[in-house]
Amino acid sequence: MIQAINRDYLGKDRPTNVISFAMQEGEGGGVQPNLLGDVVISAETAARDACDAQIPFESELYFLLLHGILHLLGYDHERGTEAEARRMEAKEREIFSLIREEFLSE
């Protein structure tokens, strides 16, 4: 399913774990200023990645949601510079450590 979304909307005919669709960009951007966009997560890929990394499935889901939201906020590790990729990764680590403390340690 996510491969079809990736192919049809982003022109990348391959599976992925998360896709973000920003609502503040392109035609119609800004119509709903309080709506950042949509994050699509492949639960199947997340489960496989979690198993491979030997981490809880929920942890992988939280991480992918965070990753997608950071894209909606303008962070980019693919199209930007190496410095921008490092900035996004640092923000992921910072926020995910808070998520881990709050939600995953119960």
Side-chain angles (χ1 to χ4, degrees):
M1 176 69 165
I2 202 160
Q3 182 170 348
I5 294 170
N6 204 17
R7 179 192 63 235
D8 295 348
Y9 291 95
L10 301 175
K12 301 175 183 177
D13 193 12
R14 62 180 182 268
T16 189
N17 50 13
V18 62
I19 299 173
S20 298
F21 293 100
M23 298 298 187
Q24 299 303 316
E25 297 175 2
E27 186 177 324
V31 172
Q32 292 287 332
N34 295 324
L35 181 63
L36 286 177
D38 296 314
V39 176
V40 179
I41 297 171
S42 170
E44 180 181 315
T45 304
R48 186 176 55 247
D49 290 348
C51 184
D52 290 348
Q54 298 181 336
I55 60 172
F57 174 67
E58 294 82 6
S59 181
E60 183 68 6
L61 283 180
Y62 282 132
F63 178 79
L64 292 174
L65 180 57
L66 168 61
H67 185 86
I69 291 170
L70 286 175
H71 275 296
L72 294 178
L73 291 171
Y75 289 85
D76 193 341
H77 61 93
E78 295 176 324
R79 293 176 284 183
T81 64
E82 189 68 32
E84 290 172 23
R86 284 193 305 273
R87 185 173 150 253
M88 181 174 182
E89 290 168 8
K91 185 57 74 173
E92 282 175 336
R93 283 192 304 275
E94 173 190 344
I95 295 172
F96 195 66
S97 70
L98 298 172
I99 291 170
R100 224 184 338 245
E101 288 175 19
E102 184 68 27
F103 299 105
L104 298 175
S105 62
E106 297 176 350

